[in-house]
Amino acid sequence: IKGRENLPKKSKAVIYVVNHQSQADIIVIYALKTRFRWLAKHSLFLIPLFGWAMSLIGYVSVKRGSKFSQERSVVKCAQCLKNGTSVLFFPEGTRSIDGNLREFKMGAFRLALTLHVPIVPITLSGCTEMLPKGAIVPQKSKILIHIHPELSPVGKTPEELRDQARIAIESAL
């Protein structure tokens, strides 16, 4: 883990934006030992026991392609942040097939501006090799978690904030 000093104090809610390489990302990110809720595709919540536990813990479900679901998920994320709990977004929306960054969706950045909450970009590398998209059995791999300095939303457009986060994440790939 590089940049651990960039993690906010436990009493400060932020929006984490993390590149999405693999199903292993979710497990790997818990090595940070920090409290957060993450936004996840709705189908994960339908998995017996696992999905039910996600709902009970307070993770946020979103149905791809459903404007109503997207709006509801933003409201739930805003509630988490207002209650002092950080929220984690994979701004690419889905896993990368080759480890290269995909286009970033704007939800996390608009929310940061609306609530005046900082963005903390995080780069994961090595997860694609550990558990490539479609693989079931993990492979041995060196994982790097790079936590970048927080980005203030003050005086920025959502696009500027998105671009700064993307540059930070890409710089450690």
Side-chain angles (χ1 to χ4, degrees), residues 39-80:
L39 195 66
K41 64 183 177 181
H42 179 71
S43 60
L44 292 176
F45 290 80
L46 302 176
I47 299 170
L49 300 176
F50 176 75
W52 303 334
M54 287 175 55
S55 290
L56 290 171
I57 292 168
Y59 295 125
V60 180
S61 168
V62 64
K63 286 184 185 176
R64 291 187 183 138
S66 167
K67 189 142 180 85
F68 173 76
S69 175
Q70 291 168 1
E71 290 169 358
R72 191 179 70 222
S73 69
V74 168
V75 168
K76 288 182 178 181
C77 287
Q79 288 171 340
C80 288

